[in-house]
Short mmCIF file of all heavy atoms in Angstrom, two decimals:
data_model
loop_
_atom_site.label_atom_id
_atom_site.label_comp_id
_atom_site.label_asym_id
_atom_site.label_seq_id
_atom_site.Cartn_x
_atom_site.Cartn_y
_atom_site.Cartn_z
N LEU A 1 1.63 1.89 0.59
CA LEU A 1 2.24 0.56 0.69
C LEU A 1 3.72 0.65 0.36
O LEU A 1 4.10 1.22 -0.66
CB LEU A 1 1.56 -0.41 -0.29
CG LEU A 1 2.23 -1.79 -0.44
CD1 LEU A 1 2.13 -2.58 0.87
CD2 LEU A 1 1.60 -2.56 -1.59
N TRP A 2 4.53 0.06 1.25
CA TRP A 2 5.97 -0.08 1.01
C TRP A 2 6.32 -1.55 1.07
O TRP A 2 5.81 -2.29 1.91
CB TRP A 2 6.78 0.62 2.12
CG TRP A 2 6.70 2.10 2.15
CD1 TRP A 2 7.60 2.98 1.60
CD2 TRP A 2 5.72 2.90 2.80
NE1 TRP A 2 7.21 4.27 1.87
CE2 TRP A 2 6.06 4.25 2.60
CE3 TRP A 2 4.56 2.61 3.53
CZ2 TRP A 2 5.30 5.30 3.10
CZ3 TRP A 2 3.80 3.65 4.02
CH2 TRP A 2 4.18 4.97 3.81
N VAL A 3 7.17 -1.98 0.18
CA VAL A 3 7.76 -3.32 0.23
C VAL A 3 9.27 -3.09 0.22
O VAL A 3 9.81 -2.47 -0.70
CB VAL A 3 7.34 -4.20 -0.96
CG1 VAL A 3 8.04 -5.54 -0.92
CG2 VAL A 3 5.82 -4.40 -0.96
N GLY A 4 9.94 -3.56 1.27
CA GLY A 4 11.34 -3.19 1.44
C GLY A 4 11.39 -1.69 1.66
O GLY A 4 10.59 -1.14 2.40
N ASP A 5 12.29 -1.03 1.00
CA ASP A 5 12.40 0.43 1.09
C ASP A 5 11.68 1.15 -0.04
O ASP A 5 11.79 2.37 -0.16
CB ASP A 5 13.88 0.84 1.08
CG ASP A 5 14.62 0.35 2.32
OD1 ASP A 5 13.98 0.24 3.37
OD2 ASP A 5 15.83 0.08 2.22
N GLN A 6 10.96 0.41 -0.87
CA GLN A 6 10.32 1.00 -2.04
C GLN A 6 8.83 1.24 -1.80
O GLN A 6 8.09 0.32 -1.46
CB GLN A 6 10.50 0.09 -3.26
CG GLN A 6 9.98 0.69 -4.53
CD GLN A 6 10.32 -0.18 -5.74
OE1 GLN A 6 11.21 -1.03 -5.70
NE2 GLN A 6 9.60 0.03 -6.81
N GLN A 7 8.39 2.49 -1.98
CA GLN A 7 6.97 2.79 -1.86
C GLN A 7 6.29 2.47 -3.18
O GLN A 7 6.67 2.97 -4.23
CB GLN A 7 6.73 4.25 -1.50
CG GLN A 7 5.27 4.53 -1.21
CD GLN A 7 5.03 5.92 -0.65
OE1 GLN A 7 5.86 6.81 -0.76
NE2 GLN A 7 3.87 6.10 -0.04
N LEU A 8 5.28 1.60 -3.13
CA LEU A 8 4.58 1.15 -4.33
C LEU A 8 3.24 1.86 -4.51
O LEU A 8 2.77 1.99 -5.64
CB LEU A 8 4.35 -0.35 -4.29
CG LEU A 8 5.60 -1.22 -4.18
CD1 LEU A 8 5.22 -2.68 -4.08
CD2 LEU A 8 6.52 -0.98 -5.36
N VAL A 9 2.61 2.27 -3.43
CA VAL A 9 1.30 2.94 -3.50
C VAL A 9 1.35 4.16 -2.60
O VAL A 9 1.82 4.09 -1.47
CB VAL A 9 0.16 1.99 -3.05
CG1 VAL A 9 -1.17 2.72 -2.99
CG2 VAL A 9 0.07 0.78 -3.97
N ASP A 10 0.85 5.29 -3.10
CA ASP A 10 0.74 6.52 -2.32
C ASP A 10 -0.54 7.22 -2.74
O ASP A 10 -0.55 8.05 -3.64
CB ASP A 10 1.96 7.42 -2.54
CG ASP A 10 1.94 8.63 -1.62
OD1 ASP A 10 1.08 8.71 -0.71
OD2 ASP A 10 2.78 9.53 -1.81
N ARG A 11 -1.63 6.84 -2.12
CA ARG A 11 -2.94 7.42 -2.44
C ARG A 11 -3.61 7.76 -1.11
O ARG A 11 -4.47 7.04 -0.63
CB ARG A 11 -3.76 6.42 -3.24
CG ARG A 11 -5.04 7.00 -3.78
CD ARG A 11 -5.78 5.99 -4.65
NE ARG A 11 -7.02 6.53 -5.12
CZ ARG A 11 -7.20 7.09 -6.30
NH1 ARG A 11 -6.19 7.20 -7.13
NH2 ARG A 11 -8.37 7.56 -6.65
N TRP A 12 -3.18 8.86 -0.51
CA TRP A 12 -3.60 9.22 0.84
C TRP A 12 -4.61 10.34 0.81
O TRP A 12 -4.35 11.46 1.23
CB TRP A 12 -2.38 9.64 1.66
CG TRP A 12 -2.63 9.56 3.14
CD1 TRP A 12 -2.84 10.61 3.98
CD2 TRP A 12 -2.73 8.38 3.93
NE1 TRP A 12 -3.04 10.15 5.25
CE2 TRP A 12 -2.99 8.78 5.25
CE3 TRP A 12 -2.64 7.04 3.65
CZ2 TRP A 12 -3.13 7.88 6.29
CZ3 TRP A 12 -2.79 6.14 4.68
CH2 TRP A 12 -3.03 6.57 5.98
N TYR A 13 -5.79 10.06 0.31
CA TYR A 13 -6.87 11.02 0.34
C TYR A 13 -8.19 10.28 0.21
O TYR A 13 -8.24 9.16 -0.26
CB TYR A 13 -6.74 12.09 -0.76
CG TYR A 13 -6.50 11.53 -2.14
CD1 TYR A 13 -7.56 11.15 -2.96
CD2 TYR A 13 -5.20 11.39 -2.63
CE1 TYR A 13 -7.34 10.64 -4.22
CE2 TYR A 13 -4.98 10.87 -3.90
CZ TYR A 13 -6.05 10.51 -4.68
OH TYR A 13 -5.82 10.00 -5.95
N THR A 14 -9.25 10.93 0.66
CA THR A 14 -10.56 10.31 0.63
C THR A 14 -11.06 10.19 -0.80
O THR A 14 -10.97 11.13 -1.59
CB THR A 14 -11.55 11.18 1.44
OG1 THR A 14 -11.03 11.33 2.75
CG2 THR A 14 -12.91 10.52 1.51
N SER A 15 -11.55 9.01 -1.13
CA SER A 15 -12.10 8.79 -2.46
C SER A 15 -13.03 7.60 -2.42
O SER A 15 -13.09 6.88 -1.44
CB SER A 15 -10.99 8.54 -3.49
OG SER A 15 -10.32 7.33 -3.20
N SER A 16 -13.72 7.39 -3.51
CA SER A 16 -14.57 6.22 -3.60
C SER A 16 -13.70 4.98 -3.80
O SER A 16 -12.48 5.08 -3.88
CB SER A 16 -15.55 6.36 -4.77
OG SER A 16 -14.82 6.53 -5.97
N VAL A 17 -14.31 3.83 -3.88
CA VAL A 17 -13.58 2.58 -4.04
C VAL A 17 -12.69 2.67 -5.28
O VAL A 17 -13.14 3.03 -6.37
CB VAL A 17 -14.54 1.39 -4.17
CG1 VAL A 17 -13.78 0.11 -4.44
CG2 VAL A 17 -15.39 1.28 -2.91
N VAL A 18 -11.43 2.37 -5.10
CA VAL A 18 -10.47 2.44 -6.20
C VAL A 18 -9.39 1.38 -5.97
O VAL A 18 -9.05 1.05 -4.84
CB VAL A 18 -9.85 3.85 -6.31
CG1 VAL A 18 -9.02 4.17 -5.09
CG2 VAL A 18 -9.03 3.99 -7.55
N GLU A 19 -8.90 0.84 -7.04
CA GLU A 19 -7.80 -0.12 -6.96
C GLU A 19 -6.51 0.58 -7.34
O GLU A 19 -6.46 1.31 -8.32
CB GLU A 19 -8.05 -1.28 -7.91
CG GLU A 19 -6.96 -2.34 -7.87
CD GLU A 19 -7.26 -3.51 -8.76
OE1 GLU A 19 -8.39 -4.02 -8.73
OE2 GLU A 19 -6.34 -3.91 -9.52
N LYS A 20 -5.49 0.37 -6.57
CA LYS A 20 -4.18 0.96 -6.84
C LYS A 20 -3.15 -0.16 -6.80
O LYS A 20 -3.22 -1.06 -5.97
CB LYS A 20 -3.86 2.02 -5.78
CG LYS A 20 -2.62 2.82 -6.06
CD LYS A 20 -2.77 3.69 -7.27
CE LYS A 20 -1.50 4.49 -7.48
NZ LYS A 20 -1.40 5.06 -8.79
N SER A 21 -2.20 -0.13 -7.72
CA SER A 21 -1.20 -1.19 -7.76
C SER A 21 0.18 -0.63 -8.05
O SER A 21 0.33 0.52 -8.47
CB SER A 21 -1.58 -2.23 -8.82
OG SER A 21 -1.54 -1.64 -10.10
N GLY A 22 1.17 -1.44 -7.83
CA GLY A 22 2.55 -1.11 -8.12
C GLY A 22 3.27 -2.40 -8.44
O GLY A 22 2.71 -3.50 -8.32
N SER A 23 4.51 -2.30 -8.86
CA SER A 23 5.27 -3.51 -9.16
C SER A 23 6.69 -3.38 -8.62
O SER A 23 7.22 -2.29 -8.47
CB SER A 23 5.29 -3.79 -10.67
OG SER A 23 5.96 -2.75 -11.34
N ILE A 24 7.26 -4.54 -8.32
CA ILE A 24 8.59 -4.60 -7.75
C ILE A 24 9.18 -5.97 -8.08
O ILE A 24 8.46 -6.95 -8.15
CB ILE A 24 8.55 -4.36 -6.22
CG1 ILE A 24 9.96 -4.25 -5.62
CG2 ILE A 24 7.74 -5.43 -5.52
CD1 ILE A 24 9.97 -3.83 -4.17
N ASP A 25 10.47 -6.02 -8.31
CA ASP A 25 11.16 -7.30 -8.51
C ASP A 25 11.60 -7.81 -7.15
O ASP A 25 12.23 -7.09 -6.39
CB ASP A 25 12.39 -7.13 -9.41
CG ASP A 25 12.02 -6.80 -10.84
OD1 ASP A 25 10.97 -7.29 -11.31
OD2 ASP A 25 12.78 -6.07 -11.50
N LEU A 26 11.22 -9.06 -6.84
CA LEU A 26 11.58 -9.68 -5.58
C LEU A 26 12.39 -10.94 -5.83
O LEU A 26 12.23 -11.60 -6.86
CB LEU A 26 10.32 -10.05 -4.79
CG LEU A 26 9.38 -8.89 -4.45
CD1 LEU A 26 8.11 -9.43 -3.79
CD2 LEU A 26 10.06 -7.87 -3.57
N GLU A 27 13.25 -11.28 -4.87
CA GLU A 27 14.07 -12.48 -4.96
C GLU A 27 13.36 -13.63 -4.24
O GLU A 27 12.97 -13.49 -3.07
CB GLU A 27 15.43 -12.21 -4.30
CG GLU A 27 16.40 -13.34 -4.38
CD GLU A 27 17.70 -12.99 -3.69
OE1 GLU A 27 18.10 -11.82 -3.68
OE2 GLU A 27 18.33 -13.93 -3.13
N ALA A 28 13.19 -14.76 -4.91
CA ALA A 28 12.51 -15.91 -4.33
C ALA A 28 13.21 -16.35 -3.06
O ALA A 28 14.43 -16.38 -2.97
CB ALA A 28 12.47 -17.06 -5.33
N GLY A 29 12.41 -16.66 -2.03
CA GLY A 29 12.94 -17.15 -0.77
C GLY A 29 13.41 -16.08 0.18
O GLY A 29 13.72 -16.37 1.34
N LYS A 30 13.47 -14.84 -0.24
CA LYS A 30 13.91 -13.74 0.61
C LYS A 30 12.71 -13.07 1.25
O LYS A 30 11.68 -12.88 0.61
CB LYS A 30 14.69 -12.71 -0.23
CG LYS A 30 15.25 -11.57 0.59
CD LYS A 30 16.09 -10.63 -0.27
CE LYS A 30 16.60 -9.46 0.54
NZ LYS A 30 17.35 -8.51 -0.28
N LYS A 31 12.83 -12.72 2.54
CA LYS A 31 11.76 -12.03 3.25
C LYS A 31 11.94 -10.52 3.09
O LYS A 31 13.06 -10.02 3.17
CB LYS A 31 11.77 -12.40 4.72
CG LYS A 31 11.43 -13.85 4.98
CD LYS A 31 11.47 -14.14 6.46
CE LYS A 31 11.19 -15.61 6.72
NZ LYS A 31 11.26 -15.93 8.16
N TYR A 32 10.83 -9.83 2.85
CA TYR A 32 10.83 -8.39 2.67
C TYR A 32 9.87 -7.75 3.67
O TYR A 32 8.76 -8.25 3.85
CB TYR A 32 10.38 -8.00 1.26
CG TYR A 32 11.34 -8.42 0.18
CD1 TYR A 32 11.26 -9.69 -0.37
CD2 TYR A 32 12.31 -7.56 -0.29
CE1 TYR A 32 12.15 -10.09 -1.37
CE2 TYR A 32 13.20 -7.94 -1.27
CZ TYR A 32 13.11 -9.21 -1.81
OH TYR A 32 13.98 -9.60 -2.79
N PRO A 33 10.28 -6.66 4.30
CA PRO A 33 9.33 -5.97 5.18
C PRO A 33 8.22 -5.31 4.35
O PRO A 33 8.48 -4.78 3.27
CB PRO A 33 10.18 -4.92 5.89
CG PRO A 33 11.39 -4.75 5.06
CD PRO A 33 11.58 -6.02 4.29
N ILE A 34 7.00 -5.42 4.86
CA ILE A 34 5.84 -4.79 4.21
C ILE A 34 5.23 -3.83 5.21
O ILE A 34 5.01 -4.18 6.38
CB ILE A 34 4.79 -5.84 3.82
CG1 ILE A 34 5.34 -6.80 2.79
CG2 ILE A 34 3.52 -5.16 3.30
CD1 ILE A 34 4.40 -7.94 2.46
N LYS A 35 4.95 -2.62 4.76
CA LYS A 35 4.26 -1.64 5.59
C LYS A 35 3.06 -1.16 4.79
O LYS A 35 3.20 -0.67 3.67
CB LYS A 35 5.17 -0.47 5.91
CG LYS A 35 4.50 0.60 6.76
CD LYS A 35 5.48 1.73 7.07
CE LYS A 35 4.83 2.84 7.84
NZ LYS A 35 5.78 3.96 8.07
N LEU A 36 1.86 -1.34 5.34
CA LEU A 36 0.62 -0.95 4.69
C LEU A 36 -0.14 -0.04 5.64
O LEU A 36 -0.41 -0.42 6.77
CB LEU A 36 -0.21 -2.18 4.36
CG LEU A 36 -1.59 -1.93 3.77
CD1 LEU A 36 -1.51 -1.21 2.43
CD2 LEU A 36 -2.35 -3.25 3.61
N GLU A 37 -0.44 1.16 5.19
CA GLU A 37 -1.23 2.11 5.97
C GLU A 37 -2.50 2.42 5.22
O GLU A 37 -2.49 2.52 3.99
CB GLU A 37 -0.47 3.43 6.16
CG GLU A 37 0.84 3.33 6.87
CD GLU A 37 1.57 4.67 6.94
OE1 GLU A 37 1.33 5.54 6.08
OE2 GLU A 37 2.39 4.84 7.86
N TYR A 38 -3.59 2.56 5.95
CA TYR A 38 -4.82 3.05 5.34
C TYR A 38 -5.64 3.77 6.40
O TYR A 38 -5.40 3.59 7.59
CB TYR A 38 -5.63 1.93 4.67
CG TYR A 38 -6.29 0.96 5.62
CD1 TYR A 38 -7.64 1.10 5.93
CD2 TYR A 38 -5.58 -0.08 6.20
CE1 TYR A 38 -8.26 0.21 6.80
CE2 TYR A 38 -6.19 -0.97 7.05
CZ TYR A 38 -7.53 -0.82 7.36
OH TYR A 38 -8.14 -1.70 8.20
N SER A 39 -6.54 4.59 5.98
CA SER A 39 -7.38 5.33 6.93
C SER A 39 -8.84 5.10 6.60
O SER A 39 -9.19 4.70 5.49
CB SER A 39 -7.05 6.82 6.88
OG SER A 39 -7.45 7.36 5.64
N GLU A 40 -9.67 5.37 7.57
CA GLU A 40 -11.11 5.31 7.35
C GLU A 40 -11.73 6.56 7.98
O GLU A 40 -11.26 7.03 8.99
CB GLU A 40 -11.71 4.02 7.89
CG GLU A 40 -11.68 3.84 9.37
CD GLU A 40 -12.86 4.47 10.09
OE1 GLU A 40 -13.88 4.78 9.42
OE2 GLU A 40 -12.77 4.68 11.28
N VAL A 41 -12.73 7.07 7.33
CA VAL A 41 -13.37 8.30 7.79
C VAL A 41 -14.76 8.01 8.33
O VAL A 41 -15.15 8.51 9.37
CB VAL A 41 -13.43 9.34 6.64
CG1 VAL A 41 -14.16 10.59 7.08
CG2 VAL A 41 -12.02 9.66 6.16
N ASP A 42 -15.50 7.18 7.64
CA ASP A 42 -16.90 6.95 8.01
C ASP A 42 -17.21 5.52 8.42
O ASP A 42 -18.36 5.11 8.47
CB ASP A 42 -17.82 7.37 6.86
CG ASP A 42 -17.56 6.57 5.59
OD1 ASP A 42 -16.75 5.62 5.63
OD2 ASP A 42 -18.18 6.89 4.56
N GLY A 43 -16.18 4.72 8.72
CA GLY A 43 -16.40 3.35 9.16
C GLY A 43 -16.59 2.37 8.02
O GLY A 43 -16.92 1.22 8.25
N GLN A 44 -16.39 2.78 6.80
CA GLN A 44 -16.63 1.93 5.64
C GLN A 44 -15.34 1.54 4.91
O GLN A 44 -15.39 1.07 3.79
CB GLN A 44 -17.57 2.62 4.67
CG GLN A 44 -18.92 2.98 5.25
CD GLN A 44 -19.70 1.76 5.69
OE1 GLN A 44 -19.76 0.77 4.99
NE2 GLN A 44 -20.28 1.82 6.88
N ALA A 45 -14.19 1.74 5.51
CA ALA A 45 -12.91 1.49 4.83
C ALA A 45 -12.71 0.01 4.55
O ALA A 45 -13.06 -0.85 5.37
CB ALA A 45 -11.75 2.02 5.66
N ILE A 46 -12.16 -0.28 3.41
CA ILE A 46 -11.78 -1.64 3.01
C ILE A 46 -10.37 -1.55 2.43
O ILE A 46 -10.09 -0.69 1.60
CB ILE A 46 -12.73 -2.21 1.95
CG1 ILE A 46 -14.14 -2.35 2.51
CG2 ILE A 46 -12.22 -3.56 1.45
CD1 ILE A 46 -15.16 -2.73 1.49
N CYS A 47 -9.50 -2.43 2.87
CA CYS A 47 -8.15 -2.48 2.33
C CYS A 47 -7.78 -3.94 2.13
O CYS A 47 -7.93 -4.75 3.04
CB CYS A 47 -7.18 -1.81 3.29
SG CYS A 47 -5.52 -1.66 2.63
#
C-alpha cells in the first residue's frame, strides 16, 4: 500500500490471514493517490 509517495505496507508473500497497518499524516481536504496491490494464490484472497 502506498499513499502519496509513501509506502505504508510491504508484505508481499504468502501467509495466513494477517492485519498490517501503517500511519501517515494527511492534510484535510487534500486528495492523495492511493495504490493498493495484493495477490491471491488459491482463490481465497481477501484485502
Side-chain angles (χ1 to χ4, degrees):
L1 172 66
W2 291 263
V3 176
D5 294 330
Q6 186 174 341
Q7 187 171 18
L8 301 177
V9 174
D10 186 8
R11 188 176 178 96
W12 200 254
Y13 50 86
T14 304
S15 66
S16 59
V17 176
V18 65
E19 181 178 313
K20 188 67 179 164
S21 65
S23 64
I24 187 172
D25 292 326
L26 301 175
E27 183 181 328
K30 183 176 178 183
K31 294 179 182 178
Y32 293 86
I34 296 174
K35 179 179 177 183
L36 175 62
E37 299 176 336
Y38 71 99
S39 68
E40 66 86 16
V41 177
D42 61 6
Q44 301 298 316
I46 296 172
C47 186

